[in-house]
Every structure is written in structure tokens, then in C-alpha cells.
Amino acid sequence: PFEADRFEAVASLDTLEHIPTPDRPGFLQECVRVTQRYLIISAPYGSDEHRAYEQKLDALYTRTFGAIHTYLNEHVRYGIPNLQDIHNLIAPLPLKNVTLYFAGDFVWQCRNLERLITQPGNRWIKRYVDWNSKALFHPIRLTTQPYDRANRFYLYAEKQA
């Protein structure tokens, strides 16, 4: 419950994909409402192939550990945004100078997670999988065009006065 224009910048990192699709416009409207100037959004990029691979990993994780991986399961249930989703979400917002960037390799990321899930081991493997799946330490090489194996998108925009 912040007043309008409370912050000079608002950043949402790895949140959008954990919000049910019908609630995403309201979430982004609120982000824009409370920023004075800048909006930065970072989330997984959902090509059809990326979505399919994450469905496979979600099922594998559940079978292997007997429980869902909360974050991965939300990616599958709520969907990770593709280019059309992103454009539809930002089109009604009062933004200018919108730039989208893309980075990463979802195949590398998913294969790494798959390998960790299937490695035999003790309980520490599950904790390591939970930590590693957050993909905290990846080199970022940004491009302004989506590509087949893009893993993430980054949105930078300014709020219209």
C-alpha cells in the first residue's frame, strides 16, 4: 500500500512467472503506479520449447522427490511469458522508451537441472537442486532480439509523465 510515485524505480525480478496469468496486468499496473520514473522486469522467457522442457522437468522432479518444486511448478501452472504475452501485458501501461533484452540458454539451464535431479545421492542433492534451479550465477549477454534458446527476458521502461 504505497502512495503513487513513491519510488524512483521499481524492479521485479523473477516474480511475474509466479503470478497467475489473470493477475499479471494488475501486478504490473501497481508497479507502474508506484514508480516515479523507471520500471525493470526480469523473468524467464517462455518459448514453446522452453515451456515444454519445464513441464518435463516438473514431472521428473515430482516423480524423483515425491513432492513438487514450488517455483518450477508455478512456471508450468501459470506459464512463463512469451513475446506476445509480454507485449500484451505492457501495451496498456503508460510507458515510454520500452526496451526488451533477452539472454541465456534454457536448454543448458534445463539440462543442468535435469542432470542434478537424476543424480543418485542423499538429501543434499534436493537442496542443491532447489538452490541451483534459481540460476543465480549465469553470465549475461544481452540481445534485443529473442532467439530460439533464450532463457530470460529483461524489460526496461520509463513511466510516461
Side-chain angles (χ1 to χ4, degrees):
F2 298 107
E3 64 269 14
D5 302 322
R6 173 68 172 95
F7 304 100
E8 184 170 352
V10 169
S12 170
L13 310 176
D14 294 310
T15 306
L16 195 60
E17 69 278 14
H18 300 288
I19 297 172
T21 305
D23 298 334
R24 290 176 182 176
F27 170 76
L28 291 175
Q29 289 167 358
E30 184 65 7
C31 289
V32 172
R33 186 186 72 78
V34 299
T35 190
Q36 293 171 16
R37 299 183 63 188
Y38 305 108
L39 177 65
I40 300 166
I41 306 289
S42 171
Y45 178 65
S47 65
D48 291 342
E49 294 82 9
H50 189 174
R51 289 175 176 180
Y53 209 145
E54 288 208 354
Q55 286 178 343
K56 174 184 168 184
L57 288 174
D58 182 51
L60 176 63
Y61 187 97
T62 301
R63 279 193 316 273
T64 302
F65 296 111
I68 66 167
H69 184 288
T70 302
Y71 305 129
L72 183 58
N73 188 262
E74 287 178 352
H75 288 197
V76 172
R77 284 192 347 245
Y78 302 146
I80 49 180
N82 63 24
L83 191 58
Q84 189 61 54
D85 296 332
I86 297 165
H87 286 300
N88 290 344
L89 284 167
I90 63 174
L93 299 173
L95 299 173
K96 63 181 181 180
N97 300 326
V98 175
T99 307
L100 281 171
Y101 299 97
F102 302 87
D105 181 341
F106 82 85
V107 173
W108 177 86
Q109 179 66 31
C110 288
R111 283 183 182 159
N112 185 44
L113 180 55
E114 185 174 18
R115 186 177 65 251
L116 290 169
I117 292 169
T118 58
Q119 280 182 353
N122 296 324
R123 294 176 57 83
W124 70 268
I125 288 288
K126 182 180 183 306
R127 289 192 300 274
Y128 185 70
V129 168
D130 291 345
W131 171 82
N132 188 64
S133 67
K134 295 178 185 173
L136 296 174
F137 304 107
H138 283 73
I140 297 175
R141 292 175 189 88
L142 298 175
T143 178
T144 56
Q145 296 298 314
Y147 51 94
D148 291 344
R149 292 171 67 149
N151 188 47
R152 306 192 58 70
F153 79 89
Y154 302 86
L155 179 140
Y156 165 83
E158 296 176 38
K159 184 177 180 177
Q160 290 180 350

